[in-house]
């Protein structure tokens, strides 16, 4: 199990692995370019872990929501910022092919959304979250990030997706016919106890049920 960042109560930028066999916590490498953050989403796909979004704390108490997506390579044990970049390549990524290429539409900064990984062609799925100037605007969106192509696609918008702090998982057989099961969270000033299901495939989404 891998845990990155969070808050206690201040935002953190540490990275840990829990070994279930030895029942011990092991510190993992971090990057000085990744500011402390919480409310982000993380998922593992293949030999990498991806961290997206969240609230980032910067110098002198400044901070705000981010739309950054970072990749940690378990093989190389290093972090790469896939984008969006505001600094030169040499400070964020060695090979430009490893980063998001613009122009393309990307999700707006948000937290605390759900992030999952699945697919015959591996991808990340980002569900909901809140953002905007108030950092309280509920975002009724489902986005897909194609890991190989480094491309974002808005798959669906639906009122049932407008929530934060929910719990989500994937169900299905192998890499086929995956469904996202989204439970609870917070929306419209109240806590939710509903269960939403939606089909997630390589060609998009199908019907959504509550």
């Amino acid at each position: 199990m891998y845990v990155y960042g969070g808050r206690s109560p201040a935002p953190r930028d540490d990275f840990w692995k829990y070994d279930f066999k030895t029942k011990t916590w092991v510190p993992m490498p971090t990057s000085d370019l990744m500011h402390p953050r919480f409310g982000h989403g993380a998922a593992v796909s293949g030999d990498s872990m991806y961290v997206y979004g969240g609230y980032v704390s910067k110098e002198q108490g400044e901070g705000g929501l981010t739309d950054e997506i970072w990749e940690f390579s378990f093989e190389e044990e290093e972090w790469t910022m896939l984008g969006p970049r505001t600094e030169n390549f040499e400070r964020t990524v060695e090979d430009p092919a490893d980063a998001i290429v613009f122009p393309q539409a990307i999700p707006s900064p948000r937290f605390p959304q759900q992030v999952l990984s699945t697919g015959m062609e591996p991808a990340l799925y980002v569900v909901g979250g809140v953002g905007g100037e108030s950092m309280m605007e509920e975002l009724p969106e489902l986005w897909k990030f194609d890991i190989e192509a480094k491309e974002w696609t808005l798959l669906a918008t639906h009122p049932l997706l407008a929530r934060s702090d929910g719990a989500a998982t994937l169900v299905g057989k192998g890499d086929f016919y995956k469904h996202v099961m989204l439970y609870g969270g917070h929306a419209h000033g109240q806590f939710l106890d509903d269960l939403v299901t939606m089909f997630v495939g390589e060609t998009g989404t199908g019907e959504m049920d509550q």
Side-chain angles (χ1 to χ4, degrees), residues 75-145:
E75 181 177 352
E76 299 177 3
E77 292 198 329
E78 64 180 18
W79 289 94
T80 298
M81 190 175 84
L82 303 184
R85 301 176 310 279
T86 58
E87 301 186 44
N88 293 332
F89 277 114
E90 59 266 22
R91 282 187 53 79
T92 56
V93 60
E94 294 182 2
D95 185 349
D98 292 333
I100 297 173
V101 177
F102 290 92
Q104 66 169 283
I106 64 174
S108 60
R110 64 192 62 203
F111 85 138
Q113 65 286 327
Q114 291 73 51
V115 176
L116 310 111
S117 65
T118 185
M120 296 175 61
E121 299 177 2
L124 303 180
Y125 295 90
V126 176
V127 184
V130 296
E133 293 185 4
S134 67
M135 295 191 294
M136 297 177 63
E137 178 185 341
E138 292 154 357
L139 304 171
E141 301 171 342
L142 171 63
W143 285 83
K144 173 184 176 181
F145 181 72

Side-chain angles (χ1 to χ4, degrees), residues 29-48:
T30 58
S31 169
D32 59 359
L33 297 177
M34 287 184 75
H35 298 289
R37 66 193 63 205
F38 67 91
H40 49 279
V44 172
S45 180
D47 295 326
S48 294

Side-chain angles (χ1 to χ4, degrees), residues 40-199:
H40 49 279
V44 172
S45 180
D47 295 326
S48 294
M49 173 175 159
Y50 298 86
V51 170
Y52 167 75
Y55 181 93
V56 171
S57 175
K58 298 184 179 180
E59 295 81 4
Q60 300 177 346
E62 297 182 358
L65 300 184
T66 183
D67 55 5
E68 295 175 348
I69 180 168
W70 287 80
E71 177 185 4
F72 179 78
S73 169
F74 292 111
E75 181 177 352
E76 299 177 3
E77 292 198 329
E78 64 180 18
W79 289 94
T80 298
M81 190 175 84
L82 303 184
R85 301 176 310 279
T86 58
E87 301 186 44
N88 293 332
F89 277 114
E90 59 266 22
R91 282 187 53 79
T92 56
V93 60
E94 294 182 2
D95 185 349
D98 292 333
I100 297 173
V101 177
F102 290 92
Q104 66 169 283
I106 64 174
S108 60
R110 64 192 62 203
F111 85 138
Q113 65 286 327
Q114 291 73 51
V115 176
L116 310 111
S117 65
T118 185
M120 296 175 61
E121 299 177 2
L124 303 180
Y125 295 90
V126 176
V127 184
V130 296
E133 293 185 4
S134 67
M135 295 191 294
M136 297 177 63
E137 178 185 341
E138 292 154 357
L139 304 171
E141 301 171 342
L142 171 63
W143 285 83
K144 173 184 176 181
F145 181 72
D146 186 310
I147 292 174
E148 182 176 356
K150 305 294 189 296
E151 292 180 353
W152 283 104
T153 302
L154 177 61
L155 294 182
T157 59
H158 195 284
L160 291 176
L161 299 175
R163 65 184 67 204
S164 59
D165 279 323
T169 190
L170 290 156
V171 295
K173 184 177 181 180
D175 290 323
F176 297 95
Y177 308 116
K178 293 287 188 178
H179 284 76
V180 172
M181 307 291 288
L182 177 62
Y183 173 76
H186 188 270
H188 315 302
Q190 62 183 359
F191 293 103
L192 306 175
D193 60 359
D194 60 343
L195 178 66
V196 177
T197 65
M198 49 191 151
F199 172 73

